[in-house]
Amino acid sequence: MTNHIEPVGTSGAAKITLRTAGELAEALPYLLGFRPDDSIVLVALNKGRFGGRVRLGIPERSEDWPSVAQQLARCLVGGCERRDGRPDSVVAFLCQDASARIGASGPPVVERLRPLAQLLRTECGVLDVPVTEALCLSDGRYWSYCCPRPDCCPPQGNAIAADGTSVMAATAAYAGIHVRQSVAELRARLAPLETALVPEQIRALDAAAMDLVPRILAGTPREEVETQTLGLARLVLRRFAEAPGVDDDTLDADLRDDELLAHDEAAALILGLQDRQTRDRAAEWMEGEEAPAALRLWRALARRCVGGYGEHAAAPLTLAGWVAWSLGDTVEADHALEMALGVDPHYKFARLLNQARSEGVDPEPVRRSLRRVRADREAEDVTVGAAADDLTSVEGGTDDAVAPCPVPENEGEEAGDPAVVVPGGAADPGISRAARGLAAALRRRGERRSGAGTRPARAGTRASRRPSRRRTGRPHTRGDG
């Protein structure tokens, strides 16, 4: 579920007043930053201004609608109360094109979803927050569930203004607000490939696993695998950065990146990132010139987790969500984290990032923590290098004193965390540095209200495809990411 509490794409210099249901329907993509499809969207209003909003795919089974409506209402109202106070009212949108329901045109879609609209109105009313408007958007038209007047809201619906022709579109263009593609197109950038290249990528993944497992069993140090993985990642990042520019919001950009990434390189990176410490090192590429290329790499790796390696996508998807959030793209961040949890619901780093987005936590504390770890490690490398130079000098017969090599300490490790075997062959404490920093940021926000502000279960929605079986000999870490 997408759960935005902060305004998206708003500007103090560009304001617009929406007075009609049609203007609300036109404004929805600009409020979310993308075009919702097959979605329930609730938008809070507070003192005449748009506030928090939540989005969830429409469950296919109507039996799931009551629980989903209740959870969505609690999530929206609870989140708004923590930030800006209880909202004055809510606007509900049900978005589903006729093509999503074979054989159905606009009016049948409206009637099928009418009970869901009523449930949303009832659940918000239980929380003393009225739904002032409930709209169904389908096939470029809108219908109101609150207006009984056929002269205002005819049975055939009203047309939504074409893209770029409304006052809302003009104002958004002036304010620099960019509307992304649909949910399906956005998620396709992160979903496993479905092309003729899949068998070759699976063979590369199998070969990489067969190479790594004997090394682990032979006692290869975890740090050696980490160094190789990050070195290869830096090589690919430079390749991406030096490639000719392509509009990053098009599928052409993804095709270009796929061509720049060899199958064996993708396989080695995917398996190497299953180690939490390696993944945390990669998470440091979250700002400056490194971040855009890193985001492209994590997308490309998520697309290469094909066949029985679907669960391995949790790491690159979480990294993509983290970098997107760090860059201010909350839309892609939410979808990437939702897909990561669909692949592995127990992946700890994704769960904490997902919770932080829901709670409205600023990403800066996590960035600051990763910067500090990186600076400490680089300073330590310099000290170790200087000590090595001194040692060489002593061995050459000089009287220079040898400075002791500093031993890094696991500062902040949580006592009692279970040890988990990682692909490098070593036992790693049960929660990573990045996850600890994020958990600490969440704790500082205080106790959360029971039942409010959490993302509702995706009842009835399609989860990301999980492998039917796991191949033997494949290194993989789950549950403590």
Side-chain angles (χ1 to χ4, degrees):
M1 185 194 76
T2 301
N3 179 0
H4 294 301
I5 300 300
E6 79 287 355
V8 173
T10 56
S11 171
K15 298 181 180 179
I16 187 170
T17 301
L18 305 178
R19 298 183 176 85
T20 67
E23 290 174 345
L24 286 172
E26 297 163 18
L28 182 58
Y30 301 96
L31 293 175
L32 296 179
F34 61 95
R35 304 186 184 282
D37 48 14
D38 201 28
S39 298
I40 306 168
V41 181
L42 297 183
V43 180
L45 296 175
N46 197 327
K47 298 179 181 179
R49 301 176 66 87
F50 289 118
R53 45 231 174 259
V54 295
R55 186 201 67 84
L56 184 69
I58 297 176
E60 296 181 0
R61 300 192 316 152
S62 58
E63 294 85 350
D64 297 322
W65 291 356
S67 61
V68 166
Q70 182 184 68
Q71 292 180 67
L72 279 171
R74 290 181 176 179
C75 180
L76 177 66
V77 175
C80 289
E81 284 181 333
R82 288 192 303 274
R83 291 181 59 90
D84 306 314
R86 177 176 289 270
D88 300 324
S89 60
V90 170
V91 177
F93 299 87
L94 299 178
C95 310
Q96 189 174 77
D97 287 339
S99 57
R101 309 294 302 179
I102 298 176
S105 59
V109 171
V110 177
E111 292 307 313
R112 176 180 177 273
L113 298 179
R114 188 178 295 276
L116 177 56
Q118 185 57 41
L119 287 167
L120 293 169
R121 298 174 69 183
T122 300
E123 293 299 335
C124 289
V126 169
L127 300 175
D128 294 326
V129 180
V131 174
T132 54
E133 183 61 272
L135 299 176
C136 178
L137 279 58
S138 180
D139 292 330
R141 306 185 75 82
Y142 72 89
W143 290 259
S144 172
Y145 289 114
C146 299
C147 178
R149 296 170 47 194
D151 57 326
C152 175
C153 299
Q156 68 273 20
N158 291 300
I160 301 174
D163 290 345
T165 62
S166 66
V167 174
M168 183 69 197
T171 305
Y174 174 78
I177 300 173
H178 177 59
V179 177
R180 305 284 291 275
Q181 59 266 55
S182 69
V183 174
E185 292 171 324
L186 193 153
R187 294 172 73 92
R189 306 192 72 182
L190 301 165
L193 294 174
E194 295 182 359
T195 68
L197 300 177
V198 169
E200 188 174 350
Q201 183 61 66
I202 293 176
R203 286 193 292 271
L205 287 162
D206 288 340
M210 292 177 65
D211 172 68
L212 185 57
V213 171
R215 293 171 59 197
I216 295 174
L217 296 177
T220 301
R222 190 203 64 80
E223 291 78 7
E224 181 178 322
V225 179
E226 175 185 292
T227 299
Q228 293 173 352
T229 300
L230 295 177
L232 176 58
R234 291 189 185 95
L235 177 66
V236 177
L237 287 177
R238 287 196 297 270
R239 190 185 304 158
F240 278 16
E242 294 169 358
V246 176
D247 183 2
D248 194 45
D249 284 331
T250 67
L251 291 178
D252 289 340
D254 296 337
L255 292 174
R256 188 272 311 272
D257 290 345
D258 288 336
E259 292 174 354
L260 294 174
L261 182 63
H263 293 297
D264 57 343
E265 293 174 330
L269 291 172
I270 289 169
L271 293 175
L273 289 171
Q274 302 310 304
D275 171 26
R276 293 188 300 280
Q277 292 186 20
T278 304
R279 181 210 60 204
D280 281 2
R281 288 280 302 275
E284 296 171 2
W285 304 327
M286 78 292 188
E287 57 189 349
E289 296 180 354
E290 296 173 324
L295 179 56
R296 289 162 50 197
L297 176 57
W298 309 144
R299 288 186 194 132
L301 292 180
R303 293 193 295 270
R304 298 298 185 94
C305 294
V306 294
Y309 291 85
E311 290 182 344
H312 288 66
L317 284 170
T318 302
L319 287 170
W322 160 237
V323 176
W325 181 29
S326 180
L327 291 173
D329 188 349
T330 57
V331 174
E332 181 165 0
D334 287 331
H335 285 287
L337 294 173
E338 182 178 335
M339 292 176 70
L341 291 174
V343 168
D344 185 351
H346 303 290
Y347 200 70
K348 187 171 292 184
F349 194 29
R351 290 172 61 188
L352 288 169
L353 286 169
N354 193 51
Q355 180 183 347
R357 282 287 306 124
S358 177
E359 290 289 308
V361 173
D362 191 284
E364 179 55 26
V366 185
R367 284 196 295 256
R368 189 162 53 243
S369 175
L370 290 173
R371 289 189 207 108
R372 183 171 60 251
V373 171
R374 187 176 190 175
D376 290 346
R377 184 179 63 255
E378 291 173 351
E380 178 183 302
D381 291 342
V382 171
T383 304
V384 171
D389 291 341
D390 289 340
L391 179 59
T392 301
S393 178
V394 170
E395 290 174 343
T398 69
D399 294 327
D400 293 339
V402 180
C405 219
V407 179
E409 297 181 356
N410 292 330
E411 179 182 357
E413 297 287 1
E414 295 186 4
D417 281 334
V420 179
V421 177
V422 295
D428 178 34
I431 182 168
S432 68
R433 284 180 178 269
R436 283 199 303 276
L438 194 53
L442 287 167
R443 285 196 298 270
R444 285 194 292 270
R445 292 187 61 85
E447 294 294 329
R448 299 168 59 187
R449 296 192 179 190
S450 176
T454 58
R455 295 174 185 242
R458 298 192 303 280
T461 61
R462 292 183 178 178
S464 301
R465 184 175 59 189
R466 299 175 63 89
S468 58
R469 62 184 178 89
R470 295 174 62 182
R471 300 168 185 257
T472 59
R474 181 174 307 157
H476 184 60
T477 300
R478 295 190 58 202
D480 286 288

